[in-house]
Amino acid sequence: MFEYKLEEKKSRFAVYYENDEIGEVSFVKTGEHLLIIDHTYVDPKWKGHSIGNELVQKVVDFAIANNRKIIPLCPFAKKVFERTPAYSAVYSK
């Protein structure tokens, strides 16, 4: 089972499997109402498990809880936003 952890001081969510870090998404807080997703990474041996999508979802949930919008500069995150209509409420283009 995957474990997702917010590391707010590092501005990232990390994902672990059996205590090994296997991926992350990092973001930058800009002002009081904006987040920028600048990087998403998943260990290549874990590709195809929707981990990247889950990491982006964690940032979306964080943005909603903190009344923020998101600019997805990371190419992967941008693709996820473009194909997920439910994210339009937090998408700042």
Side-chain angles (χ1 to χ4, degrees):
M1 179 170 210
F2 302 116
E3 181 181 6
Y4 295 86
K5 294 182 183 176
L6 170 61
E7 297 175 357
E8 196 162 359
K9 289 183 181 180
K10 294 182 180 181
S11 294
R12 75 181 197 138
F13 282 90
V15 58
Y16 297 86
Y17 180 77
E18 296 182 351
N19 296 319
D20 290 328
E21 184 175 318
I22 60 170
E24 72 171 351
V25 61
S26 61
F27 56 90
V28 177
K29 293 179 184 176
T30 304
E32 292 183 26
H33 301 288
L34 197 60
L35 297 175
I36 298 172
I37 298 176
D38 60 356
H39 172 73
T40 306
Y41 171 78
V42 176
D43 184 311
K45 66 183 174 187
W46 289 99
K47 301 250 181 200
H49 289 38
S50 298
I51 294 169
N53 291 323
E54 283 296 317
L55 287 165
V56 172
Q57 178 67 56
K58 296 295 181 188
V59 179
V60 169
D61 293 343
F62 180 82
I64 291 167
N66 291 279
N67 195 31
R68 291 178 178 262
K69 299 270 187 183
I70 298 172
I71 297 174
L73 291 184
C74 162
F76 175 81
K78 186 170 180 154
K79 284 181 189 175
V80 172
F81 267 76
E82 289 172 351
R83 68 176 184 244
T84 311
Y87 292 172
S88 64
V90 296
Y91 193 178
S92 181
K93 297 179 183 179

